[in-house]
Amino acid sequence: QVHLVESGGGSVQAEGSLRLSCGASGDSYSQYCMGWFRQAPGKEREEVARINIGERLITYYPDSVKGRFTISLDNAENTLYLQMNSLAPGDTAQYSCAAAHTVGGFCPAKFDYWGRGTQVTVSS
């Protein structure tokens, strides 16, 4: 069981930056996959970053955020981060972190544990 709590959301102007944090507690997550997702009103949830902790910290980003968002992990602090740069109004959404056991060393399609989310609002 993993308990996740996000923080760091807020309002920022276009081209600004924010860093989201996700504090993890509970089970050791050495064989976990962790990710950041976002959902805007009226839109489907979208994965924006993923890190496979069990597999040499391999990361994944969709094209929509590649080069602007960076996922990282602080093992000592049990904290997952999402650094977001060059933000645009289209990045406005509720951002949530999630975790799941890897399956055969790979991230599964479905994540098991979710935080409650933090709101990011980008104004033009």
Side-chain angles (χ1 to χ4, degrees):
Q1 187 80 15
V2 175
H3 183 59
L4 305 170
V5 179
E6 303 93 339
S7 62
S11 297
V12 64
Q13 289 192 326
E15 295 304 315
S17 298
L18 279 175
R19 187 177 77 160
L20 304 183
S21 301
C22 174
S25 61
D27 194 12
S28 168
Y29 53 87
S30 62
Q31 297 301 319
Y32 272 73
C33 184
M34 298 189 76
W36 285 97
F37 294 76
R38 68 185 181 187
Q39 187 165 22
K43 293 189 177 180
E44 291 188 358
R45 186 166 59 198
E46 175 190 17
E47 182 179 22
V48 297
R50 180 194 309 165
I51 185 166
N52 189 330
I53 300 170
E55 289 293 325
R56 297 171 285 115
L57 303 178
I58 292 173
T59 57
Y60 160 79
Y61 305 93
D63 289 342
S64 58
V65 306
K66 195 175 293 182
R68 299 189 299 124
F69 289 12
T70 302
I71 190 171
S72 61
L73 180 71
D74 184 332
N75 272 318
E77 297 293 329
N78 287 349
T79 301
L80 182 74
Y81 296 102
L82 182 69
Q83 178 67 43
M84 305 185 295
N85 298 327
S86 301
L87 285 163
D91 295 315
T92 295
Q94 179 87 347
Y95 284 72
S96 300
C97 66
H101 287 283
T102 54
V103 179
F106 294 94
C107 291
K110 185 179 177 184
F111 282 70
D112 302 308
Y113 308 105
W114 292 83
R116 299 183 71 173
T118 185
Q119 178 67 33
V120 171
T121 302
V122 184
S123 58
S124 56

